[in-house]
Amino acid sequence: MEKKKLLEVSHLKQYFNVGRADEVRAVDDISFYIYEGETFGLVGESGCGKSTTGRSVIRLYDPTSGDIKFDGIDISSIKGREKLSAFRREMQMIYQDPYASLNPRMKVKDIIAEGIDVNKLATSAEDREKQVNDLLKTVGLDPSHGTRYPHEFSGGQRQRIGIARALAVRPKFIICDEPISALDVSIQAQVVNLLQELQEKEKLTYLFIAHDLSMVKYISDRIGVMYFGKLVEVGTSEEIYNYGIHPYTESLLSAIPLPDPDYERTRQRISYKPALPDDKERQLRDIGNQHYVYCSEDEVLDYQEKLAKKKNS
């Protein structure tokens, strides 16, 4: 049975004007898709356009050009309060900073219930309370925590509250915008495991944005590597992690530490140096088995040979 593409992004461009003359090409002509029920990891350094991509997908920004289809519908065609509200119920976001994204003056139960109230998803006050308590239990918190304020929780607990808020409207698709980068390493794995459990239980689809390729590999089915507004490599998580061949991907992989003192003593960091501009037309091209690399037509064979050498070594 053919997989259903829940999200399709085609030739997305998101440009911003800075001052009178300067233009920032935050996202510069990227295309990708996400199958229903999978996690697509988007990885790259700060400022590469990852979060801007996520915010364009959820319609926080109007794209400069390009198409974004969600569940077969062009999101730019969604007009009117009711239709927009229905779209936003289907697609939610978990933010990077779990403290800044929560209103410090609201109790946790009211923060979680915001979406329930706005979308009239509760039939009574008792039903509202039951839904909030169920959500708190779902994310590993006690229902009694609902009467507290965000400052009374740890970073990991606050992120769980943010996850509960996103789940409250029963979405199909969640954009996880660096949801673990502000957390201690010991807590990151707990949050990622929770997201995976929820995905299986609730049949969710994720766009998981991060700068840590090792964590993205752990949670993702497929990975897109982003640099300077471009997708430079896309493939399965195993393929990218073990056989990433674009020079920028190789630089990210070389930065991943391993719990091996001998390896760490000899680990060589690869510094990425972009090629000088030329007149070649580059785009994502399939070098085999749905492994895509940003290259020109005459560079495809070079990358195929490089990939074969890696797999045979």
Side-chain angles (χ1 to χ4, degrees):
M1 185 171 144
E2 190 176 345
K3 294 180 182 177
K4 176 185 175 183
K5 292 178 182 176
L6 184 63
L7 181 77
E8 297 176 79
V9 176
S10 302
H11 302 291
L12 175 65
K13 295 181 181 179
Q14 190 71 67
Y15 298 169
F16 299 101
N17 291 321
V18 180
R20 293 186 176 181
D22 294 333
E23 182 180 64
V24 175
R25 299 189 172 193
V27 179
D28 193 14
D29 195 9
I30 68 168
S31 300
F32 64 94
Y33 55 85
I34 304 177
Y35 290 120
E36 191 171 44
E38 82 165 345
T39 298
F40 183 84
L42 195 57
V43 65
E45 62 193 52
S46 297
C48 72
K50 315 183 295 294
S51 294
T52 302
T53 299
R55 289 168 186 175
S56 298
V57 166
I58 205 169
R59 274 194 65 168
L60 290 179
Y61 297 141
D62 290 324
T64 304
S65 67
D67 298 314
I68 301 170
K69 288 184 179 180
F70 178 71
D71 210 3
I73 298 171
D74 185 341
I75 68 169
S76 66
S77 69
I78 301 172
K79 310 288 184 184
R81 181 178 294 179
E82 285 188 18
K83 288 183 178 179
L84 275 171
S85 180
F87 165 71
R88 288 180 175 133
R89 281 201 303 272
E90 300 274 82
M91 188 183 294
Q92 290 288 299
M93 182 175 271
I94 299 168
Y95 296 92
Q96 177 177 358
D97 188 335
Y99 188 70
S101 64
L102 304 177
N103 189 331
R105 297 182 180 181
M106 291 177 69
K107 291 181 180 179
V108 163
K109 64 179 181 180
D110 296 320
I111 290 171
I112 294 173
E114 274 188 295
I116 296 171
D117 297 340
V118 169
N119 292 286
K120 298 180 173 58
L121 299 178
T123 56
S124 63
E126 291 76 18
D127 182 37
R128 178 187 190 263
E129 185 176 2
K130 181 180 182 305
Q131 287 188 45
V132 170
N133 289 343
D134 287 346
L135 286 162
L136 283 167
K137 287 188 279 188
T138 296
V139 298
L141 296 174
D142 192 273
S144 64
H145 291 160
T147 58
R148 300 181 188 176
Y149 291 90
H151 73 269
E152 299 178 66
F153 295 89
S154 67
Q157 288 174 319
R158 286 196 288 263
Q159 196 57 286
R160 288 172 185 266
I161 294 165
I163 293 169
R165 178 178 59 183
L167 291 173
V169 293
R170 303 160 203 157
K172 285 184 181 178
F173 182 80
I174 296 180
I175 298 170
C176 306
D177 186 9
E178 302 218 38
I180 58 172
S181 64
L183 306 178
D184 291 342
V185 174
S186 59
I187 305 300
Q188 289 180 357
Q190 293 177 22
V191 172
V192 167
N193 288 338
L194 172 63
L195 288 170
Q196 289 183 311
E197 289 166 14
L198 292 171
Q199 182 175 39
E200 190 171 333
K201 180 182 176 184
E202 306 292 338
K203 310 301 180 190
L204 296 167
T205 304
Y206 292 145
L207 170 60
F208 191 88
I209 298 168
H211 60 264
D212 182 350
L213 187 49
S214 59
M215 187 58 78
V216 170
K217 182 255 183 185
Y218 176 71
I219 194 173
S220 302
D221 298 290
R222 291 184 303 119
I223 293 173
V225 180
M226 199 164 182
Y227 177 75
F228 218 67
K230 299 277 191 185
L231 275 174
V232 296
E233 193 162 4
V234 177
T236 66
S237 60
E238 292 294 327
E239 185 83 2
I240 297 298
Y241 190 77
N242 294 313
Y243 306 112
I245 56 170
H246 188 278
Y248 179 66
T249 308
E250 290 180 322
S251 74
L252 292 181
L253 290 167
S254 75
I256 298 173
L258 294 178
D260 180 343
D262 293 331
Y263 170 81
E264 286 301 312
R265 273 193 291 270
T266 58
R267 175 160 62 100
Q268 297 293 316
R269 286 290 306 270
I270 298 172
S271 180
Y272 176 56
K273 296 179 181 178
L276 294 173
D278 55 33
D279 58 356
K280 292 182 179 180
E281 182 188 341
R282 289 181 174 83
Q283 62 186 50
L284 277 180
R285 301 179 191 272
D286 191 352
I287 61 169
N289 298 319
Q290 303 293 300
H291 186 161
Y292 298 88
V293 178
Y294 184 73
C295 62
S296 61
E297 196 168 352
D298 65 317
E299 291 170 333
V300 170
L301 185 58
D302 293 336
Y303 277 116
Q304 288 174 332
E305 290 175 351
K306 184 178 177 182
L307 181 60
K309 283 181 182 177
K310 273 200 172 188
K311 290 189 173 183
N312 294 328
S313 63

mmCIF file of all heavy atoms in Angstrom, residues 123-162:
data_model
loop_
_atom_site.group_PDB
_atom_site.id
_atom_site.type_symbol
_atom_site.label_atom_id
_atom_site.label_comp_id
_atom_site.label_asym_id
_atom_site.label_seq_id
_atom_site.Cartn_x
_atom_site.Cartn_y
_atom_site.Cartn_z
ATOM 1 N N THR A 123 -17.554 19.754 26.684
ATOM 2 C CA THR A 123 -19.013 19.905 26.784
ATOM 3 C C THR A 123 -19.446 20.540 28.099
ATOM 4 O O THR A 123 -20.574 21.021 28.221
ATOM 5 C CB THR A 123 -19.689 18.522 26.654
ATOM 6 O OG1 THR A 123 -19.154 17.639 27.652
ATOM 7 C CG2 THR A 123 -19.420 17.934 25.268
ATOM 8 N N SER A 124 -18.547 20.558 29.082
ATOM 9 C CA SER A 124 -18.865 21.126 30.399
ATOM 10 C C SER A 124 -17.568 21.406 31.141
ATOM 11 O O SER A 124 -16.479 21.009 30.695
ATOM 12 C CB SER A 124 -19.721 20.148 31.206
ATOM 13 O OG SER A 124 -18.984 18.950 31.446
ATOM 14 N N ALA A 125 -17.674 22.073 32.294
ATOM 15 C CA ALA A 125 -16.496 22.345 33.115
ATOM 16 C C ALA A 125 -15.861 21.044 33.592
ATOM 17 O O ALA A 125 -14.631 20.925 33.679
ATOM 18 C CB ALA A 125 -16.885 23.219 34.308
ATOM 19 N N GLU A 126 -16.714 20.055 33.884
ATOM 20 C CA GLU A 126 -16.203 18.761 34.348
ATOM 21 C C GLU A 126 -15.448 18.043 33.222
ATOM 22 O O GLU A 126 -14.394 17.439 33.456
ATOM 23 C CB GLU A 126 -17.356 17.875 34.841
ATOM 24 C CG GLU A 126 -18.025 18.332 36.127
ATOM 25 C CD GLU A 126 -18.957 19.524 35.911
ATOM 26 O OE1 GLU A 126 -19.344 19.785 34.731
ATOM 27 O OE2 GLU A 126 -19.279 20.209 36.902
ATOM 28 N N ASP A 127 -15.990 18.131 32.006
ATOM 29 C CA ASP A 127 -15.332 17.508 30.857
ATOM 30 C C ASP A 127 -13.990 18.194 30.570
ATOM 31 O O ASP A 127 -12.999 17.527 30.263
ATOM 32 C CB ASP A 127 -16.242 17.596 29.632
ATOM 33 C CG ASP A 127 -15.640 16.925 28.408
ATOM 34 O OD1 ASP A 127 -14.985 15.877 28.570
ATOM 35 O OD2 ASP A 127 -15.803 17.453 27.290
ATOM 36 N N ARG A 128 -13.980 19.526 30.680
ATOM 37 C CA ARG A 128 -12.728 20.292 30.487
ATOM 38 C C ARG A 128 -11.671 19.829 31.470
ATOM 39 O O ARG A 128 -10.514 19.579 31.111
ATOM 40 C CB ARG A 128 -13.010 21.778 30.658
ATOM 41 C CG ARG A 128 -11.785 22.704 30.540
ATOM 42 C CD ARG A 128 -12.236 24.111 30.918
ATOM 43 N NE ARG A 128 -11.243 25.133 30.633
ATOM 44 C CZ ARG A 128 -10.377 25.630 31.525
ATOM 45 N NH1 ARG A 128 -10.332 25.110 32.755
ATOM 46 N NH2 ARG A 128 -9.538 26.582 31.198
ATOM 47 N N GLU A 129 -12.059 19.717 32.751
ATOM 48 C CA GLU A 129 -11.109 19.299 33.789
ATOM 49 C C GLU A 129 -10.609 17.883 33.541
ATOM 50 O O GLU A 129 -9.415 17.598 33.708
ATOM 51 C CB GLU A 129 -11.769 19.394 35.170
ATOM 52 C CG GLU A 129 -10.813 19.087 36.313
ATOM 53 C CD GLU A 129 -11.454 19.285 37.678
ATOM 54 O OE1 GLU A 129 -12.657 19.619 37.745
ATOM 55 O OE2 GLU A 129 -10.750 19.083 38.686
ATOM 56 N N LYS A 130 -11.515 17.004 33.113
ATOM 57 C CA LYS A 130 -11.117 15.613 32.837
ATOM 58 C C LYS A 130 -10.118 15.561 31.679
ATOM 59 O O LYS A 130 -9.113 14.834 31.752
ATOM 60 C CB LYS A 130 -12.344 14.770 32.505
ATOM 61 C CG LYS A 130 -12.003 13.303 32.230
ATOM 62 C CD LYS A 130 -13.229 12.483 31.891
ATOM 63 C CE LYS A 130 -12.867 11.012 31.674
ATOM 64 N NZ LYS A 130 -11.820 10.797 30.646
ATOM 65 N N GLN A 131 -10.375 16.336 30.620
ATOM 66 C CA GLN A 131 -9.463 16.350 29.481
ATOM 67 C C GLN A 131 -8.075 16.843 29.896
ATOM 68 O O GLN A 131 -7.059 16.272 29.491
ATOM 69 C CB GLN A 131 -10.025 17.233 28.361
ATOM 70 C CG GLN A 131 -11.207 16.628 27.623
ATOM 71 C CD GLN A 131 -11.593 17.449 26.403
ATOM 72 O OE1 GLN A 131 -10.740 17.870 25.622
ATOM 73 N NE2 GLN A 131 -12.893 17.688 26.234
ATOM 74 N N VAL A 132 -8.041 17.904 30.705
ATOM 75 C CA VAL A 132 -6.753 18.461 31.155
ATOM 76 C C VAL A 132 -6.020 17.445 32.028
ATOM 77 O O VAL A 132 -4.815 17.222 31.860
ATOM 78 C CB VAL A 132 -6.963 19.786 31.917
ATOM 79 C CG1 VAL A 132 -5.661 20.231 32.585
ATOM 80 C CG2 VAL A 132 -7.465 20.871 30.962
ATOM 81 N N ASN A 133 -6.733 16.814 32.940
ATOM 82 C CA ASN A 133 -6.100 15.819 33.822
ATOM 83 C C ASN A 133 -5.569 14.629 33.020
ATOM 84 O O ASN A 133 -4.479 14.113 33.297
ATOM 85 C CB ASN A 133 -7.102 15.336 34.871
ATOM 86 C CG ASN A 133 -7.411 16.393 35.917
ATOM 87 O OD1 ASN A 133 -6.659 17.369 36.064
ATOM 88 N ND2 ASN A 133 -8.512 16.233 36.633
ATOM 89 N N ASP A 134 -6.343 14.199 32.017
ATOM 90 C CA ASP A 134 -5.896 13.093 31.166
ATOM 91 C C ASP A 134 -4.630 13.478 30.402
ATOM 92 O O ASP A 134 -3.712 12.655 30.246
ATOM 93 C CB ASP A 134 -6.996 12.700 30.185
ATOM 94 C CG ASP A 134 -8.150 11.953 30.859
ATOM 95 O OD1 ASP A 134 -7.965 11.511 32.014
ATOM 96 O OD2 ASP A 134 -9.223 11.833 30.233
ATOM 97 N N LEU A 135 -4.577 14.719 29.924
ATOM 98 C CA LEU A 135 -3.399 15.193 29.192
ATOM 99 C C LEU A 135 -2.175 15.256 30.103
ATOM 100 O O LEU A 135 -1.068 14.880 29.700
ATOM 101 C CB LEU A 135 -3.671 16.567 28.576
ATOM 102 C CG LEU A 135 -4.586 16.561 27.346
ATOM 103 C CD1 LEU A 135 -5.142 17.959 27.094
ATOM 104 C CD2 LEU A 135 -3.838 16.065 26.119
ATOM 105 N N LEU A 136 -2.362 15.718 31.324
ATOM 106 C CA LEU A 136 -1.250 15.769 32.275
ATOM 107 C C LEU A 136 -0.708 14.366 32.539
ATOM 108 O O LEU A 136 0.508 14.147 32.556
ATOM 109 C CB LEU A 136 -1.703 16.425 33.582
ATOM 110 C CG LEU A 136 -1.839 17.959 33.552
ATOM 111 C CD1 LEU A 136 -2.600 18.465 34.774
ATOM 112 C CD2 LEU A 136 -0.457 18.614 33.496
ATOM 113 N N LYS A 137 -1.603 13.411 32.702
ATOM 114 C CA LYS A 137 -1.166 12.026 32.927
ATOM 115 C C LYS A 137 -0.476 11.457 31.688
ATOM 116 O O LYS A 137 0.510 10.725 31.802
ATOM 117 C CB LYS A 137 -2.366 11.159 33.326
ATOM 118 C CG LYS A 137 -2.859 11.420 34.746
ATOM 119 C CD LYS A 137 -3.916 10.429 35.181
ATOM 120 C CE LYS A 137 -5.266 10.795 34.666
ATOM 121 N NZ LYS A 137 -6.347 9.940 35.240
ATOM 122 N N THR A 138 -0.978 11.831 30.520
ATOM 123 C CA THR A 138 -0.394 11.348 29.259
ATOM 124 C C THR A 138 1.068 11.758 29.116
ATOM 125 O O THR A 138 1.890 10.991 28.619
ATOM 126 C CB THR A 138 -1.207 11.876 28.056
ATOM 127 O OG1 THR A 138 -2.527 11.334 28.114
ATOM 128 C CG2 THR A 138 -0.566 11.497 26.733
ATOM 129 N N VAL A 139 1.397 12.983 29.560
ATOM 130 C CA VAL A 139 2.777 13.473 29.420
ATOM 131 C C VAL A 139 3.615 13.217 30.674
ATOM 132 O O VAL A 139 4.722 13.741 30.802
ATOM 133 C CB VAL A 139 2.803 14.976 29.054
ATOM 134 C CG1 VAL A 139 2.125 15.217 27.719
ATOM 135 C CG2 VAL A 139 2.185 15.846 30.155
ATOM 136 N N GLY A 140 3.086 12.424 31.600
ATOM 137 C CA GLY A 140 3.875 12.015 32.757
ATOM 138 C C GLY A 140 3.851 12.970 33.929
ATOM 139 O O GLY A 140 4.753 12.933 34.777
ATOM 140 N N LEU A 141 2.816 13.796 34.017
ATOM 141 C CA LEU A 141 2.672 14.709 35.149
ATOM 142 C C LEU A 141 1.429 14.321 35.946
ATOM 143 O O LEU A 141 0.525 13.669 35.440
ATOM 144 C CB LEU A 141 2.560 16.159 34.667
ATOM 145 C CG LEU A 141 3.788 16.727 33.950
ATOM 146 C CD1 LEU A 141 3.486 18.121 33.403
ATOM 147 C CD2 LEU A 141 5.001 16.785 34.881
ATOM 148 N N ASP A 142 1.391 14.773 37.206
ATOM 149 C CA ASP A 142 0.261 14.468 38.068
ATOM 150 C C ASP A 142 -0.851 15.493 37.859
ATOM 151 O O ASP A 142 -0.565 16.683 37.705
ATOM 152 C CB ASP A 142 0.717 14.486 39.535
ATOM 153 C CG ASP A 142 -0.329 13.891 40.450
ATOM 154 O OD1 ASP A 142 -1.223 14.643 40.890
ATOM 155 O OD2 ASP A 142 -0.268 12.676 40.722
ATOM 156 N N PRO A 143 -2.117 15.084 37.853
ATOM 157 C CA PRO A 143 -3.219 16.049 37.693
ATOM 158 C C PRO A 143 -3.183 17.192 38.709
ATOM 159 O O PRO A 143 -3.637 18.297 38.399
ATOM 160 C CB PRO A 143 -4.465 15.182 37.880
ATOM 161 C CG PRO A 143 -4.050 13.826 37.404
ATOM 162 C CD PRO A 143 -2.606 13.693 37.834
ATOM 163 N N SER A 144 -2.624 16.943 39.900
ATOM 164 C CA SER A 144 -2.544 18.007 40.914
ATOM 165 C C SER A 144 -1.640 19.152 40.470
ATOM 166 O O SER A 144 -1.721 20.264 40.992
ATOM 167 C CB SER A 144 -2.036 17.435 42.237
ATOM 168 O OG SER A 144 -0.709 16.940 42.103
ATOM 169 N N HIS A 145 -0.770 18.902 39.473
ATOM 170 C CA HIS A 145 0.119 19.944 38.969
ATOM 171 C C HIS A 145 -0.633 21.036 38.224
ATOM 172 O O HIS A 145 -0.088 22.113 37.971
ATOM 173 C CB HIS A 145 1.171 19.336 38.031
ATOM 174 C CG HIS A 145 2.171 18.478 38.734
ATOM 175 N ND1 HIS A 145 2.941 17.524 38.072
ATOM 176 C CD2 HIS A 145 2.520 18.401 40.040
ATOM 177 C CE1 HIS A 145 3.725 16.922 38.951
ATOM 178 N NE2 HIS A 145 3.493 17.429 40.145
ATOM 179 N N GLY A 146 -1.887 20.769 37.876
ATOM 180 C CA GLY A 146 -2.660 21.736 37.104
ATOM 181 C C GLY A 146 -2.908 23.044 37.821
ATOM 182 O O GLY A 146 -3.151 24.074 37.176
ATOM 183 N N THR A 147 -2.852 23.046 39.143
ATOM 184 C CA THR A 147 -3.126 24.275 39.898
ATOM 185 C C THR A 147 -1.870 25.126 40.114
ATOM 186 O O THR A 147 -1.940 26.199 40.715
ATOM 187 C CB THR A 147 -3.736 23.923 41.269
ATOM 188 O OG1 THR A 147 -2.818 23.060 41.977
ATOM 189 C CG2 THR A 147 -5.076 23.212 41.092
ATOM 190 N N ARG A 148 -0.726 24.656 39.630
ATOM 191 C CA ARG A 148 0.528 25.390 39.813
ATOM 192 C C ARG A 148 0.805 26.308 38.615
ATOM 193 O O ARG A 148 0.130 26.247 37.593
ATOM 194 C CB ARG A 148 1.686 24.416 39.991
ATOM 195 C CG ARG A 148 1.544 23.488 41.187
ATOM 196 C CD ARG A 148 2.754 22.579 41.303
ATOM 197 N NE ARG A 148 2.578 21.548 42.318
ATOM 198 C CZ ARG A 148 3.458 20.587 42.560
ATOM 199 N NH1 ARG A 148 4.580 20.524 41.848
ATOM 200 N NH2 ARG A 148 3.220 19.688 43.502
ATOM 201 N N TYR A 149 1.854 27.134 38.787
ATOM 202 C CA TYR A 149 2.266 28.057 37.728
ATOM 203 C C TYR A 149 3.565 27.560 37.089
ATOM 204 O O TYR A 149 4.323 26.796 37.701
ATOM 205 C CB TYR A 149 2.464 29.460 38.312
ATOM 206 C CG TYR A 149 1.169 30.111 38.741
ATOM 207 C CD1 TYR A 149 0.669 29.948 40.042
ATOM 208 C CD2 TYR A 149 0.425 30.881 37.840
ATOM 209 C CE1 TYR A 149 -0.524 30.532 40.430
ATOM 210 C CE2 TYR A 149 -0.771 31.477 38.221
ATOM 211 C CZ TYR A 149 -1.241 31.289 39.524
ATOM 212 O OH TYR A 149 -2.430 31.866 39.890
ATOM 213 N N PRO A 150 3.856 27.987 35.848
ATOM 214 C CA PRO A 150 5.033 27.466 35.135
ATOM 215 C C PRO A 150 6.355 27.576 35.891
ATOM 216 O O PRO A 150 7.201 26.685 35.781
ATOM 217 C CB PRO A 150 5.059 28.320 33.860
ATOM 218 C CG PRO A 150 3.633 28.652 33.608
ATOM 219 C CD PRO A 150 3.033 28.855 34.985
ATOM 220 N N HIS A 151 6.539 28.657 36.678
ATOM 221 C CA HIS A 151 7.830 28.835 37.349
ATOM 222 C C HIS A 151 8.095 27.779 38.421
ATOM 223 O O HIS A 151 9.219 27.644 38.907
ATOM 224 C CB HIS A 151 7.929 30.238 37.962
ATOM 225 C CG HIS A 151 7.068 30.432 39.188
ATOM 226 N ND1 HIS A 151 5.770 30.894 39.112
ATOM 227 C CD2 HIS A 151 7.314 30.206 40.505
ATOM 228 C CE1 HIS A 151 5.257 30.961 40.336
ATOM 229 N NE2 HIS A 151 6.179 30.541 41.201
ATOM 230 N N GLU A 152 7.071 27.036 38.783
ATOM 231 C CA GLU A 152 7.222 26.020 39.820
ATOM 232 C C GLU A 152 7.732 24.685 39.264
ATOM 233 O O GLU A 152 7.877 23.724 40.025
ATOM 234 C CB GLU A 152 5.886 25.802 40.539
ATOM 235 C CG GLU A 152 5.351 27.048 41.231
ATOM 236 C CD GLU A 152 4.007 26.804 41.901
ATOM 237 O OE1 GLU A 152 3.967 26.021 42.875
ATOM 238 O OE2 GLU A 152 3.008 27.379 41.447
ATOM 239 N N PHE A 153 8.021 24.641 37.972
ATOM 240 C CA PHE A 153 8.427 23.388 37.334
ATOM 241 C C PHE A 153 9.840 23.481 36.785
ATOM 242 O O PHE A 153 10.350 24.562 36.490
ATOM 243 C CB PHE A 153 7.460 23.035 36.191
ATOM 244 C CG PHE A 153 6.062 22.749 36.647
ATOM 245 C CD1 PHE A 153 5.132 23.771 36.770
ATOM 246 C CD2 PHE A 153 5.671 21.460 36.963
ATOM 247 C CE1 PHE A 153 3.841 23.515 37.190
ATOM 248 C CE2 PHE A 153 4.381 21.185 37.384
ATOM 249 C CZ PHE A 153 3.463 22.213 37.504
ATOM 250 N N SER A 154 10.448 22.318 36.606
ATOM 251 C CA SER A 154 11.765 22.242 35.960
ATOM 252 C C SER A 154 11.593 22.425 34.452
ATOM 253 O O SER A 154 10.476 22.394 33.922
ATOM 254 C CB SER A 154 12.413 20.890 36.238
ATOM 255 O OG SER A 154 11.685 19.862 35.590
ATOM 256 N N GLY A 155 12.718 22.575 33.747
ATOM 257 C CA GLY A 155 12.665 22.743 32.301
ATOM 258 C C GLY A 155 12.008 21.572 31.595
ATOM 259 O O GLY A 155 11.190 21.745 30.687
ATOM 260 N N GLY A 156 12.364 20.367 32.016
ATOM 261 C CA GLY A 156 11.773 19.181 31.402
ATOM 262 C C GLY A 156 10.279 19.083 31.646
ATOM 263 O O GLY A 156 9.503 18.713 30.750
ATOM 264 N N GLN A 157 9.849 19.445 32.864
ATOM 265 C CA GLN A 157 8.418 19.425 33.174
ATOM 266 C C GLN A 157 7.672 20.492 32.375
ATOM 267 O O GLN A 157 6.561 20.255 31.900
ATOM 268 C CB GLN A 157 8.214 19.653 34.674
ATOM 269 C CG GLN A 157 8.628 18.477 35.540
ATOM 270 C CD GLN A 157 8.544 18.798 37.022
ATOM 271 O OE1 GLN A 157 8.915 19.894 37.470
ATOM 272 N NE2 GLN A 157 8.063 17.852 37.805
ATOM 273 N N ARG A 158 8.299 21.657 32.218
ATOM 274 C CA ARG A 158 7.652 22.715 31.429
ATOM 275 C C ARG A 158 7.487 22.283 29.969
ATOM 276 O O ARG A 158 6.476 22.603 29.340
ATOM 277 C CB ARG A 158 8.454 24.015 31.523
ATOM 278 C CG ARG A 158 8.306 24.727 32.855
ATOM 279 C CD ARG A 158 8.771 26.172 32.781
ATOM 280 N NE ARG A 158 10.203 26.288 32.675
ATOM 281 C CZ ARG A 158 11.021 26.512 33.700
ATOM 282 N NH1 ARG A 158 10.525 26.632 34.924
ATOM 283 N NH2 ARG A 158 12.323 26.638 33.516
ATOM 284 N N GLN A 159 8.472 21.567 29.449
ATOM 285 C CA GLN A 159 8.326 21.107 28.071
ATOM 286 C C GLN A 159 7.205 20.075 27.967
ATOM 287 O O GLN A 159 6.497 20.024 26.952
ATOM 288 C CB GLN A 159 9.650 20.538 27.554
ATOM 289 C CG GLN A 159 9.720 20.383 26.041
ATOM 290 C CD GLN A 159 9.462 21.669 25.296
ATOM 291 O OE1 GLN A 159 8.327 22.144 25.204
ATOM 292 N NE2 GLN A 159 10.527 22.255 24.750
ATOM 293 N N ARG A 160 7.020 19.271 28.994
ATOM 294 C CA ARG A 160 5.903 18.318 29.011
ATOM 295 C C ARG A 160 4.561 19.060 29.000
ATOM 296 O O ARG A 160 3.600 18.623 28.365
ATOM 297 C CB ARG A 160 6.000 17.399 30.234
ATOM 298 C CG ARG A 160 7.132 16.379 30.149
ATOM 299 C CD ARG A 160 7.311 15.622 31.454
ATOM 300 N NE ARG A 160 8.470 14.739 31.391
ATOM 301 C CZ ARG A 160 8.429 13.449 31.050
ATOM 302 N NH1 ARG A 160 7.263 12.883 30.751
ATOM 303 N NH2 ARG A 160 9.524 12.721 31.010
ATOM 304 N N ILE A 161 4.518 20.180 29.713
ATOM 305 C CA ILE A 161 3.298 21.007 29.706
ATOM 306 C C ILE A 161 3.041 21.541 28.297
ATOM 307 O O ILE A 161 1.906 21.545 27.804
ATOM 308 C CB ILE A 161 3.424 22.165 30.711
ATOM 309 C CG1 ILE A 161 3.493 21.617 32.141
ATOM 310 C CG2 ILE A 161 2.257 23.149 30.566
ATOM 311 C CD1 ILE A 161 3.971 22.623 33.176
ATOM 312 N N GLY A 162 4.128 21.983 27.628
ATOM 313 C CA GLY A 162 3.994 22.463 26.251
ATOM 314 C C GLY A 162 3.494 21.373 25.316
ATOM 315 O O GLY A 162 2.691 21.624 24.414
#
